[in-house]
Every structure is written in structure tokens, then in C-alpha cells.
Amino acid sequence: MAQTVALYSVKGGVGKTASAVNLAALSAAAGRQVLVWDLDPQSAASWYLQTEAAADRPVKKLLKPKGLAAAVRPTIHGNLWVLPAFPGQQAIEHHLADKKDAGYRLAKLIDPLAEQFEEIWIDAPPGLSLLADNILRAADMVLVPMVPTHLSERTWFQLKGHLRDRGIHPEQLCTFLSMVDRRRTLHREFAERHRHDMPELLETQIPYASVIEQMGDDQQPSVYREPRHPANRAYASLWEEIDGLFA
């Protein structure tokens, strides 16, 4: 059965999509059959992996198991597949709300995909919503990138409160520091300040680096393009840390 990891954040601009693509790419490089499901309407993960959805597939049809399977696309990278963002994806909330199992629909849709792939990485849209609740329930691990700022700290505890109020209990809930600028005191000291009140905080930190921002230049994971760059070596360390939690 596939492991499902959702890259999720209440707020945008935290390096969520770059992390989803790079971590999935590292799993594919390790020889696993990996699917990236792009559920963010910005479709950045699809863009990074040079994959676009067929424009003639309505959202309602894609929310059926056969529709999802037909929408999966290969990438130019070995072992790495994409379920790309599709036109009109913003309407997914409306279609989910019409279902009797509205809060659990995505979990049921993942089951057939889990027979084909060893890992499914979901690039989730930011925000608290019905779609977010579906993703949070469907994932074996919810992985939250956090820029080390006071606002990110606030949204982290907001997310934990939301999970508690909705009765959502992911098997693994983890956060990691992203876009870390070591020149800034708050960034350098954030982890030590929150070791006790954020036990879910992973050890590995992803630095702010132009090599990650430049992923759009040639549309490929930065861990493939410059694997020895410190930022990409950090991603490799983060991947190993995450992988160890599933061992």
C-alpha cells in the first residue's frame, strides 16, 4: 500500500511546492514508483514537472476513480508521475460538498492509485477548507513547511487547533523550517526557541537559496539539476529524515 504524504500549509509562500517536487523526486531517484498529485490551483508542481492536464476533462469526472487514473501523466524523469492540476480545479470544493462522504472523498479516491504507486505526494492548496480537510484525512503524513517567523508560528498552532476541532489525526504530523536565512537572528534561533512547544519540528532545515527559486527556469527538480548544492543536500537530508519515520 502506498504511503501518502501531503505538503500543506495554512499560508502560501513557504516553499511548499518546491519541497513537494524535490522530495518526491528523491524518492523516485531511490527507485520507487512515485506520483505527485497537484491539487494547488496555481499548478506550479505540474509546471515544474513539465506536465499539463488535458483541458477537456471536467472536474466532476476527475473526482471518480477511473477519471483520476486516466489523468495520470508520466514525466521525463524515471519513476516519477504526475496527476496534474486541471482547469476549473477551483470548483472541486463545490463538487466535494455534494457528496455524502464529503470530508473523506479524497481518501477513497486515493485507494486505486495506491495500488499502482509506492508513494503519493500531494501538493495541497493553502488555507483551511473542505478540500484541506479531505487532504489532511487522506494523508499518512502531513508535512508542513514553515518559514521561521512569528506569523508562521501562529499559523502552525492555528493548524493544530483546527485538526483538534475537526477530529483529524494524521498518522504523522511534522513540520520543518524552510527558506531559512542564517543572517537573520530570528531564523537562526527559531528552532531552539520552539523545541519544547513544537515536538513535531524536524531537525533538517532548508535554506533560502536561488537554486530552488530557479526551478522554473528549466522546469525540473533542483535536486536533479544541482544535487551537490547545499540547499539540495539539505533536501536529501530531509528526505532521509522523513523516510526514517516510515521505517
Side-chain angles (χ1 to χ4, degrees):
M1 202 69 174
Q3 297 284 359
T4 301
V5 183
L7 270 290
Y8 171 79
S9 177
V10 174
K11 65 188 295 293
V14 296
K16 172 181 60 65
T17 299
S19 296
V21 169
N22 278 315
L23 292 168
L26 288 165
S27 280
R32 299 171 191 171
Q33 295 297 312
V34 178
L35 175 67
V36 174
W37 188 352
D38 188 355
L39 276 169
D40 193 326
Q42 296 183 67
S43 65
S46 305
W47 167 255
Y48 284 148
L49 294 170
Q50 304 182 38
T51 309
E52 294 184 6
D56 59 346
R57 291 187 178 275
V59 173
K60 193 170 183 178
K61 188 172 290 187
L62 283 161
L63 288 177
K64 298 179 179 179
K66 289 184 179 179
L68 278 183
V72 171
R73 298 285 183 268
T75 71
I76 62 172
H77 310 290
N79 305 323
L80 189 58
W81 299 69
V82 181
L83 184 50
F86 39 84
Q89 187 160 275
Q90 295 88 337
I92 194 170
E93 295 261 351
H94 169 73
H95 293 287
L96 285 172
D98 288 340
K99 306 293 183 182
K100 291 182 179 179
D101 54 354
Y104 300 85
R105 185 66 179 171
L106 256 64
K108 294 182 178 181
L109 291 173
I110 283 175
D111 285 346
L113 296 172
E115 297 176 5
Q116 182 179 354
F117 298 98
E118 294 174 77
E119 293 181 4
I120 299 172
W121 293 76
I122 299 175
D123 183 26
L128 298 171
S129 63
L130 175 59
L131 176 56
D133 285 355
N134 265 263
I135 294 168
L136 294 168
R137 288 190 176 100
D140 299 303
M141 173 182 284
V142 176
L143 191 58
V144 182
M146 181 189 301
V147 179
T149 64
H150 296 303
L151 181 57
S152 290
E153 173 189 350
R154 180 176 180 273
T155 56
W156 168 253
F157 289 108
Q158 181 182 9
L159 170 61
K160 291 194 71 176
H162 178 80
L163 292 172
R164 182 179 61 251
D165 294 343
R166 294 299 181 100
I168 301 172
H169 306 289
E171 182 180 333
Q172 297 276 359
L173 174 65
C174 301
T175 183
F176 66 94
L177 296 184
S178 175
M179 304 173 70
V180 176
D181 184 348
R182 300 291 299 176
R183 297 170 298 180
R184 300 178 61 180
T185 302
L186 178 59
H187 284 215
R188 291 197 307 271
E189 298 178 353
F190 189 93
E192 289 307 315
R193 289 180 180 179
H194 293 286
R195 281 297 171 200
H196 296 294
D197 59 354
M198 292 183 185
E200 304 89 350
L201 182 61
L202 299 176
E203 291 290 336
T204 308
Q205 301 181 10
I206 306 300
Y208 176 84
S210 59
V211 69
I212 300 173
E213 289 188 331
Q214 292 164 2
M215 281 173 58
D217 291 350
D218 53 6
Q219 293 178 262
Q220 66 172 312
S222 64
V223 294
Y224 285 175
R225 181 158 43 90
E226 295 188 46
R228 295 188 179 183
H229 189 284
N232 293 322
R233 292 173 74 173
Y235 268 127
S237 295
L238 178 62
W239 179 83
E240 290 178 356
E241 190 174 359
I242 294 165
D243 201 48
L245 294 174
F246 285 125

